[in-house]
Amino acid sequence: MIRVMITDDHLIVREGLRLILETADGIELVGEAKDGAECLELVKKLNPQVILMDLQMPRMDGITAIEHLRKDYPEIAIVILTTYNEDDLMIRGLQSGARGYLLKDSSRENLIDTIHAAAKGETLLKPEILARVLSSKTSVKKEAATQTESILTERELEVLQLASLGERNKEIAYKLGITERTVKAHLQSIYQKFGVDSRAAAVAIVAQKGMLKE
Amino acid sequence: MIRVMITDDHLIVREGLRLILETADGIELVGEAKDGAECLELVKKLNPQVILMDLQMPRMDGITAIEHLRKDYPEIAIVILTTYNEDDLMIRGLQSGARGYLLKDSSRENLIDTIHAAAKGETLLKPEILARVLSSKTSVKKEAATQTESILTERELEVLQLASLGERNKEIAYKLGITERTVKAHLQSIYQKFGVDSRAAAVAIVAQKGMLKE
DNA sequence: CGCCATATTGTCCATTTGGACAATGTACTA
DNA sequence: TAGTACATTGTCCAAATGGACAATATGGCG
């Protein structure tokens, strides 16, 4: 029996996964967490072999949680749960030590296969994804900032990065655990610093400066 | 006397340039055109040595005009007039054979110096701009399209490229000589093909696919 | 201890955007 | 010739965004 834990902020996703996992042979669902912080709290008690980890969550996101887990529980296999294909966050997650990824609309077989593979220490990645991971820079942490980057505050960068993935203010607010109004405030500040007046223009600048890539 | 011609769709710009050029020694303003098409019509009669060329204009844009001029009047020096620094359109214009570029808020001295240099056959480019021109691909024309590119029609690409520069629908419509409604139609089509539902998301995809760079 | 940067949130309103219905003309192709 | 793809434009409305006024709290620094 493979001990599996779920970390996802969406109730529906958790329920759906539970339904699938509880009826799968050789898999035991040992617990669930609603965000990265809760995941770290519960992991010792639940002692999972595999963690299905969402990336975008309030309080503590999946990337941060993965980094902590790699340090404290390197033997646990982490599988990223993501909505979109080729998500930059997913790349970062894989760089941080996740062992695979799953689209949230994966088939039941795909899901179960991936969990088994992760438990056995294998990595299941599409080749093109693997190539992207290997070719992109390893250091995820902040480093010598470029001109544009240094102008922005940490929070503004977070907001801008989500906006650059096409997220709406409402979604950004939810993911950062703040109100939509605050998101707008950060965006306004960003626009001022960039000398633009629309999110599309800001995203374009970010894209051209290469702030998205890496 | 250097015979200079202006091609720009903005009355204010033309007026401003005229004011400067008419009081400059050794420079004779021989005519003005409101877009690329008119420029090509007038160029034979006006016989300019230097053409100041805007890039974004209705009917026929500056890039197209430059390509025609290079073919039929290679002796004419073309100087690009642009609003922004490091504009991708400017790069393409320079690749198409323009001999220099001017920001529209250039100083009077800068403007006159550039015209004199262009007339003498010199090229006035900031080093970093020159580097970008040389390092980018030479062929501006359509070539083997990437996955994402091939999905889109020519027109959709035009719209998307402007949107990716932060332009609003109204501006895009004006620059392409169509209505705002049509711009929205193209965007809707693009969103469908990309599987997104906002221009920011579309711009982000374009940026990640590298469709902006080159 | 006050100043400053930062983060946070509020209301109100004009503009922009996205989507749902469309329709028309042109050009190419089976 | 009929069908298809494409570009074009229309109205109407809901949602999202941008900007103008804000205010409050926190933490660092001189």
Side-chain angles (χ1 to χ4, degrees):
Chain A
M1 292 292 276
I2 303 171
R3 299 174 61 82
V4 177
M5 175 178 173
I6 299 172
T7 302
D8 194 305
D9 54 336
H10 298 293
L11 175 64
I12 297 173
V13 174
R14 292 200 306 272
E15 293 294 330
L17 285 173
R18 185 193 297 169
L19 201 61
I20 294 174
L21 296 182
E22 283 184 344
T23 59
D25 287 333
I27 292 180
E28 181 187 4
L29 182 59
V30 297
E32 304 173 0
K34 285 185 294 300
D35 56 59
E38 192 181 2
C39 174
L40 294 182
E41 285 167 24
L42 294 176
V43 68
K44 184 167 187 177
K45 181 168 61 182
L46 297 177
N47 187 33
Q49 298 166 263
V50 176
I51 297 179
L52 303 183
M53 175 78 70
D54 190 10
L55 292 181
Q56 300 175 329
M57 294 176 292
R59 283 219 293 169
M60 181 190 291
D61 66 17
I63 303 286
T64 309
I66 289 172
E67 288 169 354
H68 282 283
L69 289 169
R70 293 314 300 165
K71 199 178 299 173
D72 299 333
Y73 304 93
E75 75 283 358
I76 298 179
I78 302 165
V79 174
I80 294 173
L81 276 178
T82 179
T83 309
Y84 309 104
N85 208 344
E86 295 193 298
D87 190 337
D88 276 342
L89 274 179
M90 183 185 66
I91 302 288
R92 288 180 51 196
L94 291 170
Q95 289 176 333
S96 297
R99 203 169 291 175
Y101 72 101
L102 272 174
L103 295 183
K104 285 188 181 172
D105 58 353
S106 295
S107 68
R108 175 191 163 81
E109 293 70 33
N110 199 337
L111 171 61
I112 294 173
D113 287 349
T114 303
I115 291 176
H116 279 283
K120 282 188 288 189
E122 296 172 8
T123 300
L124 281 189
L125 287 181
K126 290 187 189 155
E128 69 269 25
I129 300 294
L130 187 62
R132 280 191 63 186
V133 176
L134 294 177
S135 67
S136 58
K137 298 198 181 103
T138 310
S139 61
V140 180
K141 298 296 180 189
K142 324 149 199 171
E143 46 197 355
T146 65
Q147 283 179 325
T148 308
E149 257 179 318
S150 59
I151 310 175
L152 300 182
T153 66
E154 289 287 324
R155 205 52 158 166
E156 286 165 357
L157 256 182
E158 289 177 354
V159 170
L160 184 54
Q161 266 162 1
L162 290 174
S164 297
L165 293 174
E167 307 285 2
R168 300 182 185 288
N169 290 345
K170 214 172 271 181
E171 299 168 312
I172 296 172
Y174 173 69
K175 285 173 182 170
L176 296 182
I178 55 182
T179 62
E180 191 179 344
R181 180 60 188 84
T182 307
V183 173
K184 292 174 72 172
H186 289 305
L187 284 174
Q188 295 274 344
S189 174
I190 292 167
Y191 298 163
Q192 262 210 331
K193 291 177 177 176
F194 279 4
V196 298
D197 63 351
S198 78
R199 76 166 49 207
V203 168
I205 287 180
V206 167
Q208 288 175 344
K209 300 283 183 186
M211 289 169 63
L212 286 179
K213 317 254 182 178
E214 65 213 294
Chain B
M1 293 290 277
I2 303 171
R3 299 174 61 81
V4 177
M5 175 178 174
I6 299 171
T7 302
D8 194 304
D9 54 335
H10 298 292
L11 174 65
I12 296 173
V13 174
R14 293 200 305 273
E15 294 294 329
L17 285 173
R18 185 193 297 168
L19 201 63
I20 294 175
L21 296 182
E22 284 184 344
T23 59
D25 287 332
I27 292 181
E28 180 188 4
L29 182 59
V30 297
E32 304 173 1
K34 285 185 294 299
D35 57 58
E38 192 180 6
C39 174
L40 294 183
E41 285 167 23
L42 295 177
V43 67
K44 184 167 188 178
K45 181 167 63 184
L46 298 177
N47 186 33
Q49 298 166 264
V50 176
I51 298 179
L52 302 182
M53 176 76 72
D54 190 11
L55 292 181
Q56 299 176 328
M57 295 176 291
R59 284 219 292 169
M60 181 189 291
D61 66 17
I63 303 286
T64 308
I66 289 172
E67 288 170 354
H68 282 283
L69 289 169
R70 292 315 299 165
K71 198 179 301 174
D72 298 334
Y73 304 93
E75 75 282 1
I76 298 178
I78 302 166
V79 175
I80 294 173
L81 275 178
T82 180
T83 309
Y84 308 105
N85 208 343
E86 295 192 300
D87 190 338
D88 278 340
L89 273 179
M90 183 185 66
I91 302 287
R92 288 180 52 197
L94 291 170
Q95 288 176 332
S96 297
R99 202 169 290 175
Y101 71 101
L102 273 173
L103 295 184
K104 285 188 181 172
D105 58 352
S106 294
S107 68
R108 173 191 165 83
E109 293 70 30
N110 199 338
L111 173 61
I112 294 174
D113 286 350
T114 302
I115 290 176
H116 278 284
K120 281 188 289 188
E122 295 173 8
T123 301
L124 281 189
L125 287 182
K126 290 186 189 155
E128 70 269 25
I129 300 294
L130 187 60
R132 280 191 63 186
V133 175
L134 293 178
S135 67
S136 58
K137 300 200 180 97
T138 309
S139 61
V140 180
K141 298 296 179 188
K142 322 148 200 172
E143 48 197 358
T146 65
Q147 283 179 324
T148 308
E149 258 180 316
S150 60
I151 310 176
L152 300 183
T153 66
E154 289 288 322
R155 205 51 158 168
E156 287 165 357
L157 256 181
E158 290 177 354
V159 170
L160 184 54
Q161 267 162 359
L162 290 174
S164 297
L165 294 174
E167 307 285 1
R168 299 183 186 290
N169 290 346
K170 214 172 272 181
E171 299 168 312
I172 296 173
Y174 173 70
K175 285 174 182 170
L176 295 182
I178 55 183
T179 62
E180 192 178 344
R181 180 61 188 85
T182 306
V183 173
K184 291 174 72 173
H186 288 306
L187 285 174
Q188 295 274 344
S189 173
I190 292 167
Y191 297 162
Q192 262 210 331
K193 292 177 178 178
F194 279 4
V196 299
D197 63 351
S198 77
R199 76 166 49 207
V203 169
I205 286 181
V206 167
Q208 287 174 344
K209 299 283 183 187
M211 289 170 63
L212 286 180
K213 317 254 181 175
E214 64 213 290

